Amino acid sequence: MRIGVDYYPEQWDRSLWERDAETMARTGVKIVRLAEFAWSRLEPQDGVFNFEWLDDVIRIFSRFAIGIVLGIPTSCPPLWMYEQYPDIVQVNPDGKPKQLGIRGHRCLNNETFRSYARRITEQMVRRYGSNQAVVAWQIDNELEAYPCCCETCKAKFRDWLIEKYGDVNTINAAFGNSVWSGEYSSVTQIQPPNAYPLAWQNPTLNLDWFRFTSHSTNAFVRDIALVIRKEVKRALITTNTWFCENMPDFYKLFADLDFVSYDNYPPIKLPAGTEQYYSHAFHLDFMRGVKEDLFWVMEQLSGPTGSWAPMSMTPRPGQIMGYALQAMAHGADTVVHFRWRTAVTGAEMHWHGILDHSNVPNRRYNEFSELCKAVSRLNILDNTTIISDIAILYSPESEFALRAQPQVEGFYYLEQLMAFHRAFMRYGANVDVVSPKTDLSGYKLVIAPALYVNKPSVTENLYRYVIKGGTLVLTNRSGVKNEYNNCIMDSLPTVFKELIGAEISEYDPIGNNELSIRDFAGNEFVCREWCDLLQPTTAKTYAEYNDGFYRCIPAVTMNRYCAGVTYYVGTVCESDFYESFAGNLMMQTGIPRLMGLPFGVEVTTRTNGRDEYICFFNNSEKTVIIPLPKPMFSMINSVGKDKLELKPFEMEVVRK
Ligand code: GLA
Ligand code: ZN
């Protein structure tokens, strides 16, 4: 377990470097990330390299035993490059090149940019590859699946389609281009779907464009990773990601990398209602699931955020420490704070780091140094991991397709995943969020919300899991599309009909209108957004609609299939339904439940196979008291405890 900071030596006077490193070391910082935006300092002119300053910085940090993550600075090509090769810039849908002056404007498919990117990478790895202080490499920064419309991207997209389909006639058939006279008679007519809102354009074209842009980003990452590995066989390589506008397929993005790193900015102001409380833990579990392994936080909330928008509130007492420990409880083994000191120049001067512009130690710095001390007492967690009985499946293609074609007012794919996640967290269970392609055999319970775009391999994976005795939950909008994002001509949920033992005779996209359902025990829950009217063949009713013209028609069903069970939830409910349903599912599948957890308290367990360490995090603004079933030893405060009293955002780790 390590705490680090992001540091920008190129933004500070050289006289500060040594002092900063010394203060960091004294505070307990073990990692520093450097140089991910420093290309113009490293290569001030084409082919003229200047590494001396970075040599000095690296020497200083290694003297203080602070490990270094070196950023490959491809997010910001120097302006001379844009001037020399104007076509390396990304192009907007209107055909206009992006305006320079900020960052991230390079087209990842442009060959000139790619060769410069390889060259700067080569220079860096040759110089620092064998330096013991360099512990990892970060490629670029917050890469997206950019919808670039430059001539290179258009040509590559056409080649990609031809490679996939063979010829335009096959493309026309797959896209269903007879609609609106959309048939291509030549590949040159194919355009990226960027000129209009996605929902107006051909859904197959949209989904293939997502696949292509995601693939382009992966190809760039793989290219750079290869350059690094050629020089340094054992290099640890990552790229830092986030939940961005043009989300790439994370599973593919990290396939050739060594670990996932995530930029973690949890909410400073907690959501008012009860609905969103656990959404942040969801993001952390999601990141752990990308490579099904521990991950890093490469940027962590450190102060008021701002610059792109008006400034946020300052982190509340406990949040700097608590949110970093929360990330660790969910599988981060290194947390790097963004950033050591707030910038005094440049556009980002109001996105605060640990230290303010003044460089005078402040409340946040004091809490940060307490965090470093607490983490040094958590070494016991170093060789532990998180094992979960429950998996929630996330499909990047379903997410994209549902975003491109909104189903009904209020319906948001990730929210269905979060609703289940939140419910299981109320019982203190570990939850994995993983790809639908993964091996599910180790899970007692698998939730697959809205599997909208279907690939035969995924369908088979789910059948295999249930046949062998697994318990699966499917929800509304499953089985709707084939892998081309076209509707399947069959009654819903098409490929899953047999598994759920029911068919949908009709659906009602009710949006923000409210109805209610009643479960087998007589409990009533509000539902909205979507109502599937289920007609069981072999399934039993778990809950039925309570009003509307489909009163008494099943809304949630349960079906035994071979050795397993499949539930189907035909509607979208408020959180009390998911809590009650999750509790029943856990009971049915023998997953232990912690009852009566105060609201907002998250519990995760890390284990080394012998000992178990339970992390209790108070993600609320109230002090809470949690009775323990027996006295337990606190790893943070080194004392035995028979109950926990947690202040707002406080974390406690106890040995079970
Ligand atoms: C992102 C970027 C950082 C920085 C922060 C804060 O996470 O990766 O470089 O810009 O946002 O603004
Ligand atoms: Zn491009």
Side-chain angles (χ1 to χ4, degrees):
M1 299 288 157
R2 294 177 297 197
I3 296 292
V5 293
D6 298 307
Y7 187 62
Y8 298 92
E10 70 277 19
Q11 297 178 16
W12 304 112
D13 192 87
R14 186 177 260 279
S15 61
L16 281 168
W17 297 349
E18 174 122 15
R19 258 200 284 156
D20 284 339
E22 196 271 323
T23 320
M24 286 179 204
R26 195 163 20 86
T27 311
V29 168
K30 303 285 184 222
I31 293 285
V32 68
R33 180 190 65 175
L34 302 172
E36 81 277 13
F37 298 123
W39 198 343
S40 72
R41 273 291 161 97
L42 295 170
E43 190 178 354
Q45 287 172 45
D46 192 349
V48 179
F49 296 97
N50 173 14
F51 281 104
E52 284 75 24
W53 67 272
L54 191 54
D55 295 349
D56 288 348
V57 175
I58 292 179
R59 209 173 303 119
I60 292 173
F61 281 107
S62 50
R63 238 194 11 256
F64 286 99
I66 295 177
I68 289 156
V69 178
L70 261 192
I72 301 292
T74 45
S75 170
C76 291
L79 292 178
W80 57 252
M81 199 188 303
Y82 286 114
E83 191 174 45
Q84 234 166 290
Y85 306 101
D87 66 341
I88 66 168
V89 84
Q90 281 177 28
V91 170
N92 293 324
D94 61 4
K96 291 208 180 102
K98 287 217 158 118
Q99 220 183 317
L100 305 179
I102 56 171
R103 61 178 172 182
H105 292 342
R106 69 280 175 264
C107 166
L108 298 182
N109 275 324
N110 182 282
E111 280 310 328
T112 311
F113 162 73
R114 288 279 277 266
S115 74
Y116 276 103
R118 280 192 294 269
R119 189 173 74 179
I120 187 73
T121 309
E122 217 166 61
Q123 292 284 326
M124 289 181 82
V125 277
R126 286 199 180 141
R127 200 164 185 105
Y128 304 116
S130 57
N131 191 319
Q132 295 298 315
V134 177
V135 296
W137 299 81
Q138 174 188 302
I139 297 176
D140 209 281
N141 189 74
E142 294 192 339
L143 284 160
E144 299 185 26
Y146 304 103
C148 176
C149 291
C150 75
E151 289 309 315
T152 308
C153 285
K154 283 191 201 166
K156 285 206 171 180
F157 180 45
R158 289 170 190 143
D159 292 350
W160 184 89
L161 286 171
I162 290 297
E163 168 131 13
K164 176 169 175 180
Y165 295 99
D167 53 43
V168 278
N169 289 337
T170 317
I171 296 177
N172 283 331
F175 285 25
N177 276 340
S178 55
V179 175
W180 293 353
S181 283
E183 275 145 328
Y184 304 125
S185 53
S186 143
V187 276
T188 50
Q189 295 154 11
I190 301 175
Q191 295 292 337
N194 280 345
Y196 300 100
L198 289 176
W200 292 19
Q201 309 191 62
N202 185 295
T204 317
L205 176 73
N206 287 344
L207 184 57
D208 273 340
W209 175 246
F210 163 72
R211 289 170 174 144
F212 167 76
T213 52
S214 203
H215 158 85
S216 300
T217 305
N218 299 347
F220 166 72
V221 165
R222 202 171 312 130
D223 199 11
I224 300 299
L226 265 180
V227 176
I228 302 175
R229 292 200 204 285
K230 212 169 132 221
E231 291 295 324
V232 199
K233 295 276 167 305
R234 299 157 72 106
L236 287 181
I237 310 176
T238 188
T239 181
N240 57 327
T241 201
W242 62 312
F243 290 84
C244 52
E245 192 184 339
N246 304 298
M247 245 162 41
D249 179 331
F250 292 117
Y251 302 113
K252 290 188 176 144
L253 180 64
F254 284 97
D256 293 326
L257 299 179
D258 298 290
F259 63 95
V260 168
S261 54
Y262 170 53
D263 295 348
N264 189 35
Y265 295 101
I268 293 169
K269 186 171 159 54
L270 293 183
T274 56
E275 290 287 311
Q276 288 170 38
Y277 258 64
Y278 288 125
S279 64
H280 203 72
F282 171 81
H283 291 119
L284 297 165
D285 286 341
F286 185 118
M287 285 297 151
R288 189 181 70 253
V290 170
K291 279 188 91 68
E292 300 185 28
D293 203 352
L294 303 178
F295 61 100
W296 287 35
V297 168
M298 201 58 100
E299 296 181 17
Q300 170 78 18
L301 177 76
S302 302
T305 62
S307 296
W308 324 125
M311 280 184 252
S312 73
M313 299 196 310
T314 190
R316 309 338 266 167
Q319 282 183 334
I320 300 274
M321 171 129 160
Y323 279 147
L325 294 173
Q326 178 199 28
M328 290 182 163
H330 287 271
D333 55 4
T334 303
V335 174
V336 182
H337 282 250
F338 185 87
R339 48 193 273 165
W340 174 245
R341 183 173 41 242
T342 314
V344 292
T345 57
E348 220 165 45
M349 55 172 68
H350 293 131
W351 191 290
H352 293 71
I354 293 290
L355 291 168
D356 288 317
H357 303 114
S358 65
N359 203 26
V360 176
N362 55 19
R363 177 186 64 85
R364 300 196 307 281
Y365 169 79
N366 292 339
E367 191 173 314
F368 176 74
S369 53
E370 244 184 85
L371 165 70
C372 293
K373 289 195 195 83
V375 167
S376 69
R377 292 194 291 274
L378 288 177
N379 280 343
I380 191 88
L381 297 185
D382 275 355
N383 296 312
T384 60
T385 151
I386 293 167
I387 297 174
S388 313
D389 288 327
I390 305 167
I392 298 177
L393 307 187
Y394 162 74
S395 153
E397 296 198 341
S398 291
E399 215 253 298
F400 175 83
L402 285 166
R403 208 155 18 105
Q405 274 186 309
Q407 302 293 289
V408 68
E409 228 165 335
F411 184 101
Y412 178 43
Y413 171 70
L414 279 182
E415 225 149 65
Q416 288 205 38
L417 278 72
M418 288 180 191
F420 279 99
H421 185 268
R422 206 156 43 212
F424 292 120
M425 293 211 60
R426 293 289 295 130
Y427 299 105
N430 284 352
V431 184
D432 287 349
V433 180
V434 289
S435 158
K437 295 180 188 157
T438 202
D439 174 9
L440 301 172
S441 57
Y443 294 109
K444 290 185 178 156
L445 181 56
V446 171
I447 318 290
L451 274 185
Y452 180 72
V453 174
N454 292 272
K455 284 201 167 148
S457 57
V458 168
T459 314
E460 282 159 23
N461 198 26
L462 295 183
Y463 270 84
R464 198 177 313 125
Y465 171 69
V466 178
I467 286 169
K468 291 193 176 154
T471 298
L472 173 71
V473 177
L474 295 171
T475 78
N476 56 87
R477 306 319 280 145
S478 292
V480 177
K481 300 287 191 93
N482 62 16
E483 60 186 291
Y484 301 104
N485 204 10
N486 289 322
C487 288
I488 299 174
M489 196 191 259
D490 192 358
S491 47
L492 288 166
T494 67
V495 293
F496 299 119
K497 261 191 310 200
E498 207 183 311
L499 202 54
I500 72 160
E503 286 184 20
I504 291 154
S505 57
E506 186 176 355
Y507 53 69
D508 190 6
I510 61 172
N512 292 329
N513 298 298
E514 284 184 0
L515 289 177
S516 69
I517 61 170
R518 186 202 304 261
D519 74 7
F520 65 94
N523 303 308
E524 290 184 17
F525 306 98
V526 171
C527 69
R528 52 172 85 87
E529 295 176 25
W530 193 270
C531 296
D532 279 330
L533 279 52
L534 285 152
Q535 206 167 51
T537 45
T538 54
K540 301 226 161 14
T541 302
Y542 178 96
E544 59 189 30
Y545 293 102
N546 202 26
D547 38 29
F549 69 86
Y550 34 91
R551 191 178 137 81
C552 295
I553 290 190
V556 182
T557 53
M558 188 274 276
N559 186 45
R560 294 197 182 283
Y561 187 80
C562 298
V565 181
T566 308
Y567 290 83
Y568 185 88
V569 181
T571 185
V572 181
C573 291
E574 286 189 340
S575 61
D576 53 351
F577 166 75
Y578 296 99
E579 238 175 79
S580 148
F581 186 47
N584 287 336
L585 291 168
M586 290 172 80
M587 229 162 24
Q588 292 299 325
T589 49
I591 300 170
R593 294 180 299 168
L594 268 179
M595 304 303 285
L597 275 176
F599 191 77
V601 171
E602 296 173 17
V603 183
T604 40
T605 305
R606 294 187 62 141
T607 176
N608 55 20
R610 206 184 48 243
D611 299 311
E612 288 191 356
Y613 299 92
I614 315 177
C615 310
F616 290 86
F617 175 56
N618 179 11
N619 196 6
S620 82
E621 279 153 354
K622 294 199 184 96
T623 297
V624 295
I625 294 182
I626 305 160
L628 294 173
K630 58 171 190 183
M632 293 186 187
F633 189 77
S634 154
M635 309 312 295
I636 292 191
N637 300 310
S638 304
V639 286
K641 293 197 166 178
D642 48 15
K643 69 171 191 307
L644 302 177
E645 183 172 333
L646 298 179
K647 292 201 278 293
F649 308 105
E650 190 176 352
M651 166 76 77
E652 185 57 273
V653 182
V654 295
R655 190 168 49 217
K656 195 171 169 185

